[in-house]
Amino acid sequence: MTIKSIIKGETGNVSGSLKGKNIVFLGASTDQASPYREARAMGIHSIGIDANAAAYAMPLADETHVVSIRDHEAIEASLGKRKIDGFYSQASDTARLSEYHLTRRYGCKKTVSIESVNASSDKAFFAKILREIGLPTPRQVIGSDLITLELGTSDWSLPFVIKPNDSSGSKGVIILTSRDELKMAVDNAISYSPTNTVLAEELIMGLHYSIDTFVRDYEPEFMTVSQKTLTEAPLMVPLHYVMPAKVSKNIENRMKDCIIAICRALKIESGPITCDVVVDQKEDIYFIEMGARAGGNGISLLMEQAYGVTFVKAGVALAVGETIPVKANKNRHAGLLTFASSQAGLFMGIKNLRELEKDRLIDRYEVFYKPKDPVKKFNSGADKLGYVIVSDETKGGLKKRLADVQKFLKITLLIDGVERDLDLL
C-alpha cells in the first residue's frame, strides 16, 4: 500500500486521559483505516476485529482478532472480561448492531441507539421514520421475491432503482431501465442482502449530495455538504466529491433542520452521522439513506483538508468517553477523486502520481493496492483502488486542479500480459 498524508498530533487537553485506554474497532477495510491511525496518534490501544485476517487496516492495530463483526457474542468471547473503554466503526453499517450490544455489555459510552442501528441498516425503516416526521421520501416497495416486486411496481414508470434493503457501499444497486431486466436486478440485489430483502425505489432526479455532521446534544456541532459525482447508469456508485457543495443558504438551513429532526427521531445524541441526499428541480430535499457513523470513501479526510476538522479523531475520543470539539479552523475548496478502474486486470501503479505530488497539485493520496494485486472493474465502493485529494483557496482554482489531476493520472493495469494506461472514471 502507498500512503502520503499527514497525521496531526493530539488535539485539545485530553491526551493524558486518552493514553492507555482500549478501543475496539469493528472492521478493518480500507475505509476504516483512519481511526486506527488516530488511535495510535492519541496513545489509545487499538483492537482490530475483522473476519478477514488480511484486511487492509489490520496491520495498523495493536492487537487483532479474526472474528465476524456481525457476531457480537463471538467478539465478546474473543475479548474476554478485560476492561474495554469503547467500540467504534465507520464507513459501513455491518457492525452497528454489534456495537450497540457490546457497548452495553462492557459499560462503554453508548454511541448508538437501537433506532439509529435500524435506520442505518434498514433503508425501508429509515424511510418510514422520515414519513413520520413529515419529510418527503421516494416511493418504495419491499420484498424478498420477484412477484412481490413486480406487482408492487406495476404502475411505476421507468427508470426506478433496485437495491438491497440492508447493504452499504452501493453494492447491488441498479437503475432499472427495462422490466425485462427486473429478475436479474432482484437476484443481484438479493445476493448482497444479509436478509434476502430487496427494495424497489422511485428514482429521484436531481443533484446528489452527502451531508456529514458531528452531533452534540442532538444538534449539529459541525455540518458540511459535498456534491457527489456518481458512475453512469445503470450503477449508482459515488466516484468523486467536491466540498463545500454549491447550495443556497436556504437549502443548507433546511438540511440542518432535517438533520436535527432525524437525530431526535432516532435518538442520536452525539457522534457522527452521514446522509445521502438528492435535491430535485423544485428544491425538495430527499434523504435517501443514512448511517449513524462517519462516512466512507475518504470523506472524513476530505473534511480535514477543507476545514481542518478532526472528525474521525473526535469520533474515536467520543467512543472512549472523551470530548474533542469539531470546529473548522480553515476554509478551503477541496475535492476527492476515486481511483476507479473501468477494466479488470493486475494493478501496476498510478502513473504520474509522483510528478503531480512534486508539482504540489495534490494534497494527499492513498493507494490500497500493491503491484500485481488483482483489480476488479469498478462496480461498488469496495472496488476502489484508492483516492487523491486536492484543494485550493477558490472554487475556480479547485476546478482547474481537479481537471489537471484527472487528465494526467492514469491507472496502469496488466491486461492479458500487456500493460495499459486507463483514464480515471
Side-chain angles (χ1 to χ4, degrees):
M1 64 183 178
T2 303
I3 303 168
K4 184 68 176 183
S5 58
I6 298 172
I7 305 301
K8 296 185 177 180
E10 295 166 356
T11 302
N13 299 313
V14 296
S15 59
S17 58
L18 286 171
K19 286 182 179 179
K21 290 201 172 189
N22 296 318
I23 190 166
V24 177
F25 291 123
L26 301 173
S29 71
T30 56
D31 277 328
Q32 294 163 310
S34 56
Y36 288 82
R37 297 186 185 119
E38 295 289 7
R40 178 163 295 179
M42 291 187 285
I44 301 174
H45 180 83
S46 63
I47 303 168
I49 305 289
D50 202 288
N52 178 11
Y56 181 80
M58 288 292 248
L60 302 174
D62 297 309
E63 176 185 337
T64 60
H65 296 266
V66 181
V67 185
S68 170
I69 59 176
R70 293 183 184 276
D71 192 341
H72 54 88
E73 293 180 345
I75 294 170
E76 183 180 6
S78 181
L79 293 173
K81 295 183 178 181
R82 73 171 94 179
K83 184 178 186 298
I84 301 295
D85 297 291
F87 292 83
Y88 184 86
S89 64
Q90 73 175 39
S92 171
D93 302 308
T94 306
R96 305 310 287 165
L97 186 59
S98 290
E99 186 175 341
Y100 173 82
H101 287 295
L102 291 166
T103 52
R104 284 151 179 80
R105 290 178 189 174
Y106 282 87
C108 303
K109 174 75 175 178
K110 296 178 178 63
T111 50
V112 292
S113 65
I114 194 62
E115 292 85 357
S116 70
V117 169
N118 291 337
S120 299
S121 57
D122 185 332
K123 298 173 177 60
F125 177 84
F126 179 50
K128 174 177 174 290
I129 295 296
L130 293 175
R131 290 192 292 271
E132 289 176 356
I133 61 178
L135 298 182
T137 63
R139 287 184 297 172
Q140 293 178 333
V141 174
I142 189 168
S144 299
D145 60 87
L146 179 62
I147 293 176
T148 299
L149 294 161
E150 279 183 327
L151 292 175
T153 63
S154 60
D155 60 342
W156 289 20
S157 299
L158 293 168
F160 57 85
V161 180
I162 296 292
K163 62 171 75 171
N165 185 53
D166 47 3
S167 184
S168 57
S170 303
K171 295 184 289 290
V173 181
I174 290 178
I175 298 175
L176 192 73
T177 57
S178 169
R179 289 193 174 271
D180 293 338
E181 299 169 353
L182 182 58
K183 183 180 185 307
M184 176 204 70
V186 169
D187 289 344
N188 181 60
I190 284 176
S191 71
Y192 290 104
S193 169
T195 59
N196 297 324
T197 309
V198 176
L199 198 65
E201 185 175 84
E202 178 186 8
L203 178 64
I204 303 298
M205 304 301 294
L207 296 177
H208 290 255
Y209 300 97
S210 177
I211 304 176
D212 291 274
T213 310
F214 205 97
V215 176
R216 304 271 190 200
D217 297 323
Y218 301 101
E219 296 201 7
E221 179 177 66
F222 173 86
M223 187 187 92
T224 184
V225 183
S226 55
Q227 186 166 347
K228 298 193 292 186
T229 299
L230 307 182
T231 51
E232 294 182 357
L235 301 179
M236 296 185 73
V237 188
L239 271 175
H240 311 312
Y241 295 82
V242 170
M243 180 184 293
K246 185 180 179 181
V247 296
S248 68
K249 194 65 178 176
N250 174 265
I251 290 177
E252 185 176 350
N253 287 338
R254 287 162 53 207
M255 287 177 170
K256 182 178 179 179
D257 290 341
C258 292
I259 292 291
I260 293 171
I262 289 168
C263 288
R264 293 190 180 281
L266 298 177
K267 300 179 182 178
I268 302 173
E269 179 182 355
S270 298
I273 173 174
T274 184
C275 296
D276 294 333
V277 171
V278 180
V279 178
D280 68 9
Q281 289 185 338
K282 296 186 296 182
E283 297 192 345
D284 288 332
I285 302 170
Y286 289 84
F287 281 73
I288 307 299
E289 298 176 13
M290 64 81 66
R293 53 170 173 77
N297 299 322
I299 197 74
S300 296
L301 302 177
L302 185 63
M303 283 188 278
E304 185 175 340
Q305 199 63 45
Y307 302 107
V309 296
T310 55
F311 206 81
V312 173
K313 183 173 288 187
V316 172
L318 179 67
V320 296
E322 298 288 348
T323 298
I324 294 179
V326 183
K327 296 180 180 179
N329 57 43
K330 63 180 180 179
N331 192 7
R332 290 177 66 83
H333 295 265
L336 181 147
L337 302 177
T338 301
F339 296 144
S341 177
S342 59
Q343 298 185 48
L346 297 180
F347 181 74
M348 300 305 292
I350 306 295
K351 191 173 182 179
N352 299 325
L353 190 57
R354 301 292 186 186
E355 288 79 2
L356 291 180
E357 179 189 11
K358 184 178 179 181
D359 292 339
R360 298 184 179 181
L361 288 175
I362 59 179
D363 297 307
R364 184 172 191 154
Y365 66 83
E366 187 160 359
V367 180
F368 305 139
Y369 284 61
K370 302 184 298 293
K372 298 296 180 70
D373 280 350
V375 168
K376 294 181 180 179
K377 181 180 177 181
F378 188 72
N379 287 319
S380 75
D383 299 329
K384 62 180 174 290
L385 310 179
Y387 58 82
V388 60
I389 294 174
V390 302
S391 68
D392 197 272
E393 293 180 354
T394 68
K395 181 181 177 182
L398 174 64
K399 185 176 181 180
K400 184 180 185 305
R401 281 178 181 257
L402 286 172
D404 288 342
V405 170
Q406 193 155 23
K407 176 181 177 182
F408 289 113
L409 288 184
K410 305 292 180 183
I411 298 171
T412 303
L413 295 187
L414 188 66
I415 303 174
D416 297 328
V418 178
E419 283 196 12
R420 301 182 183 178
D421 292 335
L422 308 178
D423 292 333
L424 302 187
L425 289 178

